[in-house]
Amino acid sequence: MGAFNGLLLSIYFAINAKKKIFTNYFLSLLLLVLSIRIIKSVFFYFNPNLSNIFIQIGLSACVLIGPFLFLYLKTYSEDEKPSWTKHVIPYLTILTILGFFYPYVEHRTIWSTWIIKAISAQWMIYIVLSFKSIHPVIQKIKGKENLRKIDIWVLSIYLGVTLIWLAYTTSAYTSYIAGALSFTFILYVNVLLLIFRASNGINFFQEKEKYKNKEIDEKTLELIGQKLSIIVEKELFLHPNFTLEEAAKELKVSKHLLSQYLNEILGKSFSNLIREYRVEKAKKLLETENNYTIESLGYDSGFSSKSTFFTAFKKTTGMTPAEYQKSYLK
């Protein structure tokens, strides 16, 4: 059922891709190779005598899971379409050569000992490379910002594929639980798709496309740049739970426009901007206040905990708050 639903989803997104939602081509292909891998696992589990050619096809499909995950997520994090040929063609060439000279049916030992391990390592490398694309979503979660539907979607795809890789990698110790996880992932994607499509009648798959194609005019750019100083002047960032929505309301601009300005013009997320403001405030307090604990100065700067204060300060300045204060006093 999971594999069948995965194939249906693959067809669905391929059709959507015809509507110029380019990223859906990669999503369709990702679900296709996942489904082929699941089909192989299901048949092998219930029929160990499965023809070796099907096993080879299923294992070979794993080679393309990582690249298609990477390409799909990358199209959401960057404006330019990634060069898919260098991530797909070389692997298809290698698979063709291996399948011809070292078919699974005649070289099971080589496949089991070396090729499967290489496939797993390659899949893992692409999972690591793909993390950069969802890092902004992680930052939003850390900054307690509201997530868009597309943020939830891409994070779910990333985590789902990662869990499936982990399950297959450890299947020797988990009684092949990967099949159940794969089915659960496909089912979850189905439910998520139905919920998002039904809510407000918005096609959330087009969110990124619309965001990319909407440019901010020069007058608006200048206006937002001037208004940003209000956050510093009023020290709104001192509120630990200060959100993007509250900032947009204070600056009298839309939340979407403010977010787009920060990402495209300043090259940072709202949480990163607020963190920078808080670190600057903390530096001033460390330079002038000697009768208070460093932890209390962190709270006075808008940080919600000692750990977040120390981590943010060290990341921004390269020194701990104590080291900074000591160097300044010298």
Side-chain angles (χ1 to χ4, degrees):
M1 288 180 65
F4 177 72
N5 287 332
L7 291 173
L8 291 181
L9 278 175
S10 175
I11 295 172
Y12 171 80
F13 289 117
I15 293 174
N16 267 291
K18 294 179 181 178
K19 299 177 182 179
K20 298 183 180 180
I21 308 176
F22 185 79
T23 54
N24 283 356
Y25 280 123
F26 296 131
L27 180 57
S28 173
L29 292 169
L30 171 62
L31 291 171
L32 176 63
V33 292
L34 271 174
S35 298
I36 292 173
R37 183 63 175 87
I38 296 169
I39 291 172
K40 172 264 171 190
S41 299
V42 173
F43 275 88
F44 182 74
Y45 183 81
F46 289 102
N47 182 15
N49 296 320
L50 177 69
S51 174
N52 288 319
I53 187 61
F54 289 108
I55 296 178
Q56 181 173 323
I57 292 173
L59 292 174
S60 299
C62 287
V63 175
L64 298 176
I65 294 176
F68 286 138
L69 172 69
F70 173 77
L71 291 168
Y72 172 63
L73 295 178
K74 194 174 180 64
T75 52
Y76 277 107
S77 62
E78 297 183 2
D79 290 338
E80 297 182 1
K81 296 177 182 178
S83 176
W84 64 270
T85 52
K86 67 180 182 181
H87 293 283
V88 175
I89 300 301
Y91 297 119
L92 288 177
T93 303
I94 293 173
L95 286 175
T96 302
I97 295 173
L98 283 176
F100 183 80
F101 291 102
Y102 297 96
Y104 183 87
V105 64
E106 299 174 5
H107 302 275
R108 294 185 61 175
T109 302
I110 294 177
W111 277 78
S112 301
T113 306
W114 300 106
I115 298 179
I116 292 178
K117 290 181 179 179
I119 291 173
S120 180
Q122 179 254 20
W123 189 351
M124 181 196 68
I125 290 171
Y126 272 101
I127 287 175
V128 173
L129 292 175
S130 300
F131 181 79
K132 180 181 178 181
S133 299
I134 63 152
H135 188 255
V137 181
I138 303 298
Q139 290 297 104
K140 284 185 178 181
I141 295 174
K142 289 182 178 180
K144 298 181 180 179
E145 297 180 36
N146 293 327
L147 296 181
R148 298 176 300 157
K149 294 185 182 72
I150 192 62
D151 293 330
I152 299 173
W153 176 264
V154 296
L155 183 60
S156 299
I157 296 294
Y158 178 81
L159 293 178
V161 173
T162 302
L163 284 174
I164 292 174
W165 169 83
L166 183 63
Y168 276 119
T169 305
T170 60
S171 60
Y173 312 100
T174 57
S175 301
Y176 228 64
I177 197 174
L181 277 177
S182 302
F183 168 76
T184 304
F185 170 65
I186 295 295
L187 180 62
Y188 172 78
V189 169
N190 270 286
V191 173
L192 202 63
L193 173 63
L194 291 174
I195 292 174
F196 285 165
R197 280 180 59 83
S199 63
N200 302 323
I202 297 174
N203 187 350
F204 74 97
F205 293 105
Q206 294 179 345
E207 287 186 43
K208 179 66 178 181
E209 295 295 325
K210 290 190 291 186
Y211 181 83
K212 284 163 58 178
N213 294 332
K214 187 175 181 181
E215 295 183 359
I216 308 176
D217 60 85
E218 291 296 329
K219 186 177 180 180
T220 304
L221 285 175
E222 185 178 352
L223 183 62
I224 296 177
Q226 293 172 353
K227 285 186 173 184
L228 272 180
S229 61
I230 295 175
I231 296 178
V232 179
E233 292 170 1
K234 293 187 176 182
E235 294 191 325
L236 300 175
F237 57 86
L238 295 183
H239 302 290
N241 298 319
F242 188 54
T243 64
L244 175 66
E245 189 172 359
E246 292 171 338
K249 187 176 181 181
E250 183 69 33
L251 302 182
K252 294 181 174 56
V253 298
S254 71
K255 183 173 68 172
H256 177 85
L257 198 60
L258 178 58
S259 178
Q260 184 177 358
Y261 177 87
L262 295 177
N263 281 275
E264 293 185 353
I265 306 303
L266 300 186
K268 61 187 70 175
S269 66
F270 176 74
S271 59
N272 286 337
L273 178 69
I274 297 303
R275 183 168 59 244
E276 290 177 6
Y277 287 157
R278 288 170 178 165
V279 169
E280 287 302 314
K281 178 66 175 181
K283 287 166 67 176
K284 292 178 181 178
L285 292 177
L286 289 168
E287 294 168 3
T288 57
E289 303 291 342
N290 299 320
N291 299 323
Y292 297 91
T293 64
I294 290 179
E295 184 177 349
S296 66
L297 295 181
Y299 287 120
D300 291 341
S301 303
F303 290 98
S304 58
S305 68
K306 177 181 177 180
S307 61
T308 55
F309 171 46
F310 277 52
T311 301
F313 197 93
K314 179 70 178 292
K315 184 177 181 180
T316 304
T317 66
M319 296 184 287
T320 65
E323 291 171 343
Y324 179 85
Q325 189 177 55
K326 186 176 180 181
S327 66
Y328 181 81
L329 292 176
K330 285 183 178 180

